């Protein structure tokens, strides 16, 4: 039997589906590890802000928002509410748009 026949058929994407594909809910988060001790407080704040911005950027891309100018603060905050993250600050929203811009 050919190898291609044993592979399962891939799920349809937004562009090939006959009807819209719903956004998957976020998967179970990876087990958290403690952050390294002894860094300045600002390092921890920036680190957590980057993680949050990355999660939001991924959720926006999954929901069909591909361009930074489509991701207004209201859109980012509603996505944060949808995935169960505290509403981001203006700085974090700016960082989300920057991540979307530089990923192209």
């Amino acid at each position: 039997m050919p190898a291609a026949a044993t592979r399962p058929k891939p799920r349809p994407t937004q562009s090939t589906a006959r009807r819209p594909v719903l956004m998957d809910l976020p998967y179970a988060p990876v087990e958290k590890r403690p952050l390294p001790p002894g860094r300045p407080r600002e390092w921890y704040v920036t680190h957590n802000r980057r993680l949050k911005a990355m999660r939001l950027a991924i959720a926006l891309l999954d929901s069909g928002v591909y361009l930074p100018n489509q991701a207004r603060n209201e859109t980012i905050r509603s996505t944060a509410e949808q995935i169960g993250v505290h509403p981001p600050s203006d700085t974090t929203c700016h960082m989300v748009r920057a991540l979307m811009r530089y990923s192209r």
Side-chain angles (χ1 to χ4, degrees), residues 4 11 19 27 35 42 44-45 48 52 58 60 63 68 93 104:
R11 293 178 53 190
R19 51 190 146 71
Y27 300 103
L35 293 174
E42 188 58 36
Y44 298 104
V45 171
N48 289 329
K52 185 176 194 175
I58 291 168
L60 285 166
S63 68
C93 291
R104 307 194 111 235

Side-chain angles (χ1 to χ4, degrees), residues 30-68:
V30 179
E31 185 177 330
K32 292 185 178 182
R33 296 180 305 181
L35 293 174
R39 307 263 175 135
R41 177 174 167 70
E42 188 58 36
W43 184 89
Y44 298 104
V45 171
T46 305
H47 176 77
N48 289 329
R49 189 184 304 272
R50 284 182 185 143
L51 290 177
K52 185 176 194 175
M54 201 177 310
R55 278 190 219 105
L56 288 168
I58 291 168
L60 285 166
L61 291 169
D62 286 345
S63 68
V65 178
Y66 299 112
L67 300 174

